[in-house]
Amino acid sequence: MSVHYQNVVPWGRSFQEYVDMFSLNDEDLDKSILGCGDGPASFNCEMNRKGKSVVSVDPLYELDRERIQKRIDETYLEVLEQTRANQDKFIWKNISSVEELGKIRMSSMSLFLDDFEKGKKQGRYVAGGLPELPLEDASFDLVLVSHLLFLYSEQLSYDFHVRAINELLRVAGEVRIFPLVDLNSRKSIHLDEIIGELVSQGYVVSEDKVEYEFQKGGNTMLKIQTI
Ligand SMILES: C[S@@+](CC[C@H](N)C(=O)[O-])C[C@H]1O[C@@H](n2cnc3c(N)ncnc32)[C@H](O)[C@@H]1O
């Protein structure tokens, strides 16, 4: 059996997971950060509590809190079901079971939901989606993209990836993307060609190993920098 979602699902990770996925050090955390496709992750809420600067952009934020909660509830059981049926594709070390995964994700998503309306008023949650973001040129130092590009390689085309990454490089000088495997823990079919394309455009590109690995083989991030 394989993992398949019709659309990109709302599913949220924590501050510590972002730190590990993107190898964020203290200097990185003090940068002006854009989280693209942050959805119901608690990264923004937890960063804000630490007095750090992060804006999250996601099409989900067009909805109000109640409707986001409904979308989460609708997809929650499906995600756990597909994960249970594909347990061999994950490493059950830091998270020991599907039940624990559900609890951890729900606790991050609750933090997000409680922060959403206040954060939206403060401009920390912006409704918008790739490949065109409602953001000024060079308005951030660093963009983080977790569990959207490359993961959904089946749903999002090569051309979409190229347009999306160029758009992210328009708004920030550095982009980090994690993971580089698809939903079935296979290396993304778009990865090599995209690296070649970005290098030919003159960007500095590296695939860096990180501490985080939940999907088997999903332990590298793509780092793209303007010179
Ligand atoms: C699997 S969730 C990941 C959430 C978060 N980044 C994390 O890792 O916990 C994927 C998110 O991508 C968002 N998304 C879908 N299409 C998008 C687009 N075109 N541009 C930006 N975000 C998008 C979804 O709304 C969803 O919140």
Side-chain angles (χ1 to χ4, degrees), residues 8-9 11-13 18 37-41 58-59 129-130 146-148 160:
V8 180
V9 294
W11 199 232
R13 290 164 189 80
Y18 269 65
D38 272 351
D58 195 300
L130 292 168
S146 158
H147 292 83
L148 173 61
F160 178 89

Side-chain angles (χ1 to χ4, degrees), residues 8 12 14 20-21 24 41 55 61 63 79 83 99 110 117 120-121 135 137 169 172 175 196 202 204 206 215 226:
V8 180
S14 67
D20 294 341
M21 292 187 290
L24 298 172
V55 170
Y61 305 152
L63 307 181
V79 175
T83 308
E99 291 67 34
S110 299
E117 275 160 6
K120 195 168 177 181
K121 278 191 200 119
L135 301 165
D137 291 359
L169 288 161
V175 176
V204 177
S206 60
Q215 284 182 282
T226 45

Side-chain angles (χ1 to χ4, degrees), residues 7-14 17-18 21-22 35-42 57-61 71 105 128-133 144-149 151-152 156 160 178:
N7 299 304
V8 180
V9 294
W11 199 232
R13 290 164 189 80
S14 67
E17 289 185 284
Y18 269 65
M21 292 187 290
F22 295 109
C36 182
D38 272 351
S42 58
V57 63
D58 195 300
L60 193 68
Y61 305 152
R71 292 261 349 254
R105 291 285 174 270
L130 292 168
E132 279 174 33
L133 299 176
L144 307 176
V145 188
S146 158
H147 292 83
L148 173 61
L149 296 175
L151 182 68
Y152 286 86
L156 305 173
F160 178 89
F178 179 93

